[in-house]
Amino acid sequence: MKLTQTPPPDYANARSRRQRQRAAGLHPDYWYAVEWDHALRIGEVKEFTFWKHSVAIYRGSDGVVRAMENRCAHRSLKLSLGSVDGCQLTCAYHGWRYDETGRCVSMEHSLFGKKMPHVELETYPVQVRYGLIFVFMGNKALASERRIPEIPQWDNPDWGKISIDFTWNAHHSIIIDNTCDFTHAHLHRNRKPFTHAELTSLEAQGDQVTLTYDTQVGQGRFSKLLVNRKTTKTNAMTLGYQYPYQWSDTDQKIKHWAFVLPISESRSRVFFLFYFSPEMVKVPLLPLNVPRPLVKLIMPIAKRLIVHPLLKEDEVAVEAEQAGYEAHHDKPSPDVNPVLAAFQTLTLRKWDEYLASLSPRERVLETHGARPEAAEPALGEQPPARA
Ligand code: FES
Ligand SMILES: [Fe+2]
């Protein structure tokens, strides 16, 4: 028996596909949900982290949300410790003030007779949709062509909606695997969101994996009361990993999107948007649909009794899987669901695409995780080859 444990390898040193997957980030050339729109008030600044990069988001007096590198150019304090002045962000320490383009436009202290130095920070494009703030961290030239998924039902007042988020100590791939791997019905054996799942199709095309299960949807104590089985076919579900997002669809009437924010190798925030056709929401114990204007009144109850407790079960599992992976990353992990292999292939291909767009030095820093100083290549040296 071996008593010592080593931490999981970084991407450059991974020896198995699973180790590579669990060390891979998500490609920054996409829009990532970072916060709820309502959670950032006018005059407020907050921090979020995208794959170990800290970013300050703030809402100016004009109501517009802006995102900026979270590092004062002076002494590297986080600007999220500072304050919003009008539409500008002021550092907490010496009061350097940055405008929305990231330029330092004023310094509160004496300049000692010198000219104000030219200082400019990185800023990131921002969009607000579906009650979420999305930020584009990658190549800005691609920001306008990359699309946030269309959810036309979100603006339809008749559809019921549930927004919920969690920050979990788990790698993003563990979370996305969990949402589509219906072999885990056992975890939810009391709540029964899906039972007796049989995979009926699996297709990988471009940056998307689509799959269908024959399964019994929503057989739990409370969901049984609310789902109208006459109007809604609840014996199959379609799901997708539409990189880097995840969605599901039951008979065009029960749908969700999951937007994952990768924070680090072992931490992620996930924003779920669930939405329900008024045709499927039934009055408990009666063969009647809930009147359309009342569907939205049911949603907070469904969130509390069905969605939140169900996802708390997933929380326990994904965090335990992360801990298990960190303790036993070198053990084989036999899996039978082909969905997982297809997801792994897509995640790794996209991360490799991103790495290929970097300079050799940037690639070394990116793939050596928490030990970039150990990875400093000698001048002219090539980055180490991956397993
Ligand atoms: S550290 Fe920000 S102004 Fe000095
Ligand atoms: Fe689950």
Side-chain angles (χ1 to χ4, degrees):
M1 182 187 167
K2 179 179 80 164
L3 290 176
T4 50
Q5 279 182 3
T6 54
D10 52 37
Y11 198 74
N13 291 297
R15 292 175 299 278
S16 68
R17 271 173 65 87
R18 185 169 71 123
Q19 288 178 341
R20 286 180 68 208
Q21 182 193 24
R22 299 293 188 239
L26 286 171
H27 200 310
D29 286 350
Y30 290 87
W31 290 94
Y32 286 90
V34 302
E35 187 52 274
W36 299 110
D37 188 35
H38 67 76
L40 189 69
R41 295 186 304 273
I42 284 183
E44 199 176 8
V45 56
K46 283 192 169 179
E47 174 185 19
F48 75 86
T49 304
F50 176 87
W51 200 244
K52 298 165 274 183
H53 297 275
S54 177
V55 178
I57 42 168
Y58 69 98
R59 193 186 294 275
S61 53
D62 57 358
V64 175
V65 181
R66 299 170 176 89
M68 197 179 290
E69 185 183 349
N70 198 9
R71 178 192 65 87
C72 178
H74 185 208
R75 304 265 178 87
S76 294
L77 260 77
K78 285 186 174 179
L79 287 173
S80 53
L81 297 170
S83 55
V84 179
D85 293 288
C87 297
Q88 301 177 339
L89 194 51
T90 305
C91 178
Y93 199 178
H94 311 91
W96 288 22
R97 186 177 292 191
Y98 299 86
D99 72 6
E100 62 188 293
T101 68
R103 261 194 70 165
C104 183
V105 288
S106 72
M107 296 170 182
E108 273 186 29
H109 53 77
S110 161
L111 293 177
F112 303 95
K114 300 201 175 91
K115 255 179 56 187
M116 203 170 94
H118 177 85
V119 168
E120 203 166 324
L121 298 179
E122 185 81 66
T123 59
Y124 306 98
V126 175
Q127 279 193 66
V128 176
R129 290 190 78 179
Y130 317 130
L132 282 166
I133 298 169
F134 288 85
V135 175
F136 196 89
M137 296 289 299
N139 177 359
K140 279 188 194 151
L142 295 172
S144 56
E145 75 186 54
R146 284 283 150 84
R147 300 267 164 234
I148 296 168
E150 290 302 323
I151 311 179
Q153 298 88 345
W154 203 259
D155 299 320
N156 183 335
D158 288 344
W159 280 61
K161 290 147 212 151
I162 294 176
S163 307
I164 191 165
D165 78 289
F166 297 89
T167 300
W168 286 336
N169 290 320
H171 187 264
H172 56 84
S173 66
I174 289 180
I175 295 169
I176 292 182
D177 283 359
N178 166 272
T179 57
C180 291
D181 176 16
F182 280 11
T183 59
H184 79 278
H186 178 76
L187 175 72
H188 304 305
R189 58 196 174 282
N190 296 322
R191 302 188 178 276
K192 300 186 174 58
F194 47 83
T195 52
H196 307 102
E198 288 293 336
L199 187 68
T200 46
S201 75
L202 174 64
E203 190 189 6
Q205 205 170 46
D207 293 347
Q208 174 150 331
V209 179
T210 312
L211 54 131
T212 53
Y213 288 106
D214 275 349
T215 183
Q216 297 306 313
V217 179
Q219 297 292 331
R221 191 154 50 109
F222 297 118
S223 31
K224 236 180 175 161
L225 293 174
L226 285 174
V227 178
N228 186 339
R229 316 251 161 210
K230 291 220 170 71
T231 58
T232 310
K233 235 177 87 203
T234 53
N235 57 3
M237 197 190 290
T238 307
L239 300 106
Y241 177 20
Q242 184 175 319
Y243 190 94
Y245 316 121
Q246 188 275 324
W247 55 266
S248 79
D249 175 5
T250 301
D251 196 25
Q252 298 285 319
K253 295 191 179 69
I254 307 172
K255 290 167 167 267
H256 96 263
W257 280 92
F259 298 106
V260 180
L261 174 67
I263 296 172
S264 70
E265 287 89 348
S266 57
R267 196 163 167 82
S268 311
R269 188 170 180 192
V270 55
F271 299 87
F272 291 99
L273 303 181
F274 292 90
Y275 45 115
F276 307 91
S277 160
E279 288 165 39
M280 62 73 56
V281 188
K282 180 172 108 39
V283 179
L285 308 175
L286 290 177
L288 294 173
N289 268 28
V290 170
R292 287 177 183 234
L294 301 185
V295 167
K296 57 167 128 4
L297 301 181
I298 303 277
M299 292 300 123
I301 302 166
K303 181 175 179 176
R304 194 154 62 84
L305 295 182
I306 302 171
V307 176
H308 184 263
L310 178 72
L311 291 168
K312 289 303 268 185
E313 290 183 340
D314 287 309
E315 173 178 292
V316 172
V318 297
E319 292 195 341
E321 179 174 349
Q322 178 69 35
Y325 171 68
E326 288 174 15
H328 308 291
H329 54 84
D330 51 353
K331 297 281 193 302
S333 171
D335 236 305
V336 288
N337 190 347
V339 169
L340 300 182
F343 281 22
Q344 193 175 61
T345 301
L346 178 52
T347 299
L348 290 177
R349 177 169 62 73
K350 295 301 293 183
W351 190 239
D352 284 337
E353 267 176 29
Y354 165 64
L355 294 176
S357 73
L358 302 178
S359 70
R361 183 181 151 72
E362 288 168 334
R363 200 174 313 139
V364 170
L365 292 170
E366 185 67 86
T367 57
H368 280 75
R371 299 181 293 112
E373 67 292 340
E376 290 268 334
L379 219 53
E381 187 186 295
Q382 290 300 305
R386 275 190 312 278

